[in-house]
Amino acid sequence: PAQMGSVLNSPLLLHYINCVTDDSVFLRLDYWLGHALQEEFLFCKDANKQNTSEAMEFFNKLITAQHFLQEGFSSCETFIYKFLHVWNGSEYRSQILSLLSWIPMAPVTDMKQLLCEPLMLLFFSSSVFFKCSVIECLNNMLVNWLTWHSVYATEDIDMNLPGHSPMNMTLSELVNSVIELVQFTGRISTIGLHLEGYNTLLLHFVLSFYETVSDMYLKYDMPLVIMPPGGVFYPALISLDPISVNQLCHIMYSKTYSEYNQYVVSMVNCLWKSKAFIRDNHPMGIEINPKLLNETKVAEYRNSFNIVHHPALMGYAIDFFQKKRAYKSYAKALPALKKMGISSVLLRKIIGSVELACGIVLTLVPGRPKDVANFLLLLVMLAVLFFHQLVGDPLKRYAHALVFGILLTCRLLIARQTEERADSSESRNGQVDSQEQNKVKVS
């Protein structure tokens, strides 16, 4: 057993298991893992701190091995399905969810009984952070399934071999399993968002899952297009978080069918045509009676969620006006700029253009121009810090410029030290060559 456990720590042995054609090696390791997992975690009652730390270390090694092999062990699948029925949701949370994300595809009936039912009970009775972890786990599981499909489904490989898949699934069965996973995630996400008051963090993880769903056909060649449910789409559309709106736009990009068209009409009416809350055919749409809206006493309520007045994008507008006001104060604090004909708008354009040009050179151009761009950016940061100090801005207004200036200084110093070391090594080599030549002449 000790030798079997050492395999998980050895990349060389894992390479051997991955490449060898003899299945007995993989089966022996898989059998030992199944026995160790059931004896130590399913049937063992002792759970002191030392055993807990050892168990977490064992789980982490197992997860690392699965990442290395890019596939899960069948014994881990059996253990996870059994452990979900007795798991409290907090013990070894990150490790169990990581192992869960590597389980292979299963028929729809098995998924409902072994995966969906116990996971749903844990999901609805847990905190918002556990809900986020579960959605992330399901996202990783979907990615692993789609990756398996894109790699192996188009190749002439025996899917019954250990290490590829425990069963031979047709394309229709595979599609049905993916549909069930996506629909299950949609159901628990809709209810979970409602229970948590449409928490922004949970909404972000749910939309990340549907970003993967939206890329199934283009990235993984899966002939399937699924839209997010209305309980996810509409809360994201009127969310106060700009990232959620951006994720929703990515999900809705390049899809064509009827439900998608309904969502696009809602988005266009809300964001661009300033016709929010009008008739919506979707059962979970955001249609509101005009009389009720008039009673709210909100002026021009239909414009409240367009691209100009959307609450999620309000922060960018405020930030822009704050910067615009700041440059006006800089121009007023230095009368010399006005005498030179440099207005606040021109000053903002000059600084922005120099930052953009130097950033491009610093990123793409090698050699001496990179150091020159570094030096110019450092001068710009010093000028910005001078302006902030001149008008008496608080530290939080120029902390980013201060940190960026320190990073530019460190990079410039490291570049200079590297050049000096190269010059010194060349001079030493030249001295050695001259000494050798003198020795040859004397001899």
Side-chain angles (χ1 to χ4, degrees):
Q3 293 179 349
M4 296 297 292
S6 64
V7 174
L8 300 177
N9 292 326
S10 175
L12 181 62
L13 293 176
L14 291 175
H15 262 301
Y16 174 76
I17 292 175
N18 200 31
C19 298
V20 70
T21 57
D22 185 8
D23 299 334
S24 61
V25 179
F26 187 87
L27 291 174
R28 287 183 63 190
L29 177 61
D30 196 53
Y31 175 79
W32 172 81
L33 277 175
H35 177 77
L37 288 170
Q38 296 200 36
E39 290 293 330
E40 295 295 333
F41 300 101
L42 285 178
F43 306 137
C44 182
K45 304 283 186 175
D46 190 13
N48 54 46
K49 291 185 178 180
Q50 183 178 359
N51 290 342
T52 301
S53 61
E54 292 177 356
M56 292 182 66
E57 183 180 0
F58 174 75
F59 276 135
N60 290 330
K61 291 179 181 178
L62 181 56
I63 293 167
T64 303
Q66 291 191 145
H67 276 285
F68 185 86
L69 296 173
Q70 286 297 297
E71 59 185 343
F73 296 99
S74 59
S75 57
C76 293
E77 176 192 3
T78 305
F79 164 74
I80 287 296
Y81 283 146
K82 293 180 179 179
F83 192 73
L84 283 178
H85 288 82
V86 297
W87 188 35
N88 57 12
S90 61
E91 196 173 19
Y92 315 120
R93 176 185 297 179
S94 61
Q95 288 81 12
I96 294 298
L97 292 178
S98 296
L99 291 175
L100 180 62
S101 65
W102 282 101
I103 64 172
M105 297 182 190
V108 174
T109 54
D110 293 343
M111 280 184 59
K112 290 181 178 179
Q113 181 181 1
L114 300 176
L115 175 66
C116 299
E117 292 180 2
L119 199 59
M120 186 182 298
L121 295 175
L122 290 169
F123 185 84
F124 292 139
S125 59
S126 61
S127 65
V128 64
F129 300 106
F130 181 81
K131 291 181 175 66
C132 295
S133 301
V134 171
I135 299 298
E136 183 183 21
C137 168
L138 295 175
N139 189 11
N140 295 333
M141 183 190 301
L142 179 62
V143 170
N144 291 332
W145 288 11
L146 295 174
T147 303
W148 175 85
H149 165 73
S150 63
V151 172
Y152 296 116
T154 57
E155 299 181 9
D156 187 14
I157 296 177
D158 184 6
M159 297 304 176
N160 290 316
L161 286 175
H164 291 135
S165 178
M167 61 189 68
N168 187 14
M169 299 183 66
T170 63
L171 180 60
S172 62
E173 292 173 337
L174 186 149
V175 169
N176 289 335
S177 297
V178 172
I179 291 175
E180 176 60 28
L181 177 63
V182 175
Q183 290 180 347
F184 167 72
T185 307
R187 290 193 298 269
I188 63 174
S189 299
T190 300
I191 302 174
L193 286 170
H194 180 71
L195 292 175
E196 299 296 338
Y198 300 99
N199 182 273
T200 302
L201 182 63
L202 179 58
L203 182 60
H204 168 73
F205 280 92
V206 172
L207 292 175
S208 297
F209 175 84
Y210 279 101
E211 283 182 336
T212 303
V213 174
S214 67
D215 293 334
M216 285 194 300
Y217 180 71
L218 295 177
K219 287 187 177 181
Y220 303 100
D221 199 26
M222 171 68 71
L224 190 62
V225 180
I226 303 177
M227 291 300 300
V232 174
F233 173 82
Y234 288 103
L237 179 61
I238 58 176
S239 171
L240 301 181
D241 179 37
I243 298 177
S244 299
V245 179
N246 179 62
Q247 287 179 295
L248 183 63
C249 293
H250 172 76
I251 293 169
M252 299 305 297
Y253 180 70
S254 69
K255 290 185 178 61
T256 55
Y257 60 105
S258 59
E259 188 176 3
Y260 165 76
N261 292 334
Q262 289 182 2
Y263 287 163
V264 168
V265 169
S266 297
M267 290 190 70
V268 171
N269 287 335
C270 186
L271 295 177
W272 284 278
K273 298 177 69 175
S274 299
K275 294 182 179 180
F277 312 117
I278 64 172
R279 187 174 56 134
D280 198 324
N281 295 326
H282 196 279
M284 296 191 69
I286 54 174
E287 178 184 359
I288 300 178
N289 193 319
K291 295 181 179 180
L292 182 61
L293 290 171
N294 291 327
E295 291 177 1
T296 61
K297 307 296 183 181
V298 176
E300 299 182 358
Y301 55 84
R302 297 197 186 279
N303 299 333
S304 300
F305 287 92
N306 62 18
I307 200 71
V308 178
H309 301 95
H310 201 293
L313 307 177
M314 194 64 66
Y316 295 107
I318 294 174
D319 183 64
F320 171 76
F321 282 109
Q322 286 180 346
K323 290 182 178 179
K324 186 176 179 181
R325 188 182 305 164
Y327 276 97
K328 287 183 178 180
S329 62
Y330 302 155
K332 290 181 180 179
L334 285 176
L337 293 176
K338 189 175 182 180
K339 294 180 181 179
M340 296 169 59
I342 300 177
S343 62
S344 61
V345 177
L346 182 58
L347 179 63
R348 187 171 71 248
K349 290 182 179 180
I350 291 173
I351 293 178
S353 302
V354 172
E355 289 178 345
L356 180 61
C358 292
I360 294 174
V361 173
L362 196 62
T363 306
L364 302 178
V365 182
R368 182 66 64 180
K370 185 187 291 283
D371 295 336
V372 175
N374 192 150
F375 181 72
L376 290 176
L377 268 179
L378 183 58
L379 291 180
V380 171
M381 290 302 105
L382 292 176
V384 170
L385 291 174
F386 170 74
F387 286 138
H388 282 292
Q389 288 293 325
L390 189 65
V391 299
D393 284 338
L395 177 62
K396 64 180 182 180
R397 293 290 302 276
Y398 59 88
H400 62 284
L402 182 61
V403 173
F404 190 48
I406 294 173
L407 293 176
L408 289 172
T409 304
C410 294
R411 190 229 162 255
L412 192 60
L413 292 176
I414 292 172
R416 294 303 303 165
Q417 288 179 355
T418 305
E419 292 179 359
E420 291 176 359
R421 288 176 183 175
D423 294 339
S424 62
S425 61
E426 290 178 0
S427 62
R428 289 176 185 173
N429 293 333
Q431 292 177 359
V432 171
D433 293 338
S434 62
Q435 290 177 0
E436 289 180 354
Q437 291 176 1
N438 293 333
K439 289 181 182 179
V440 171
K441 290 180 180 179
V442 170
S443 61

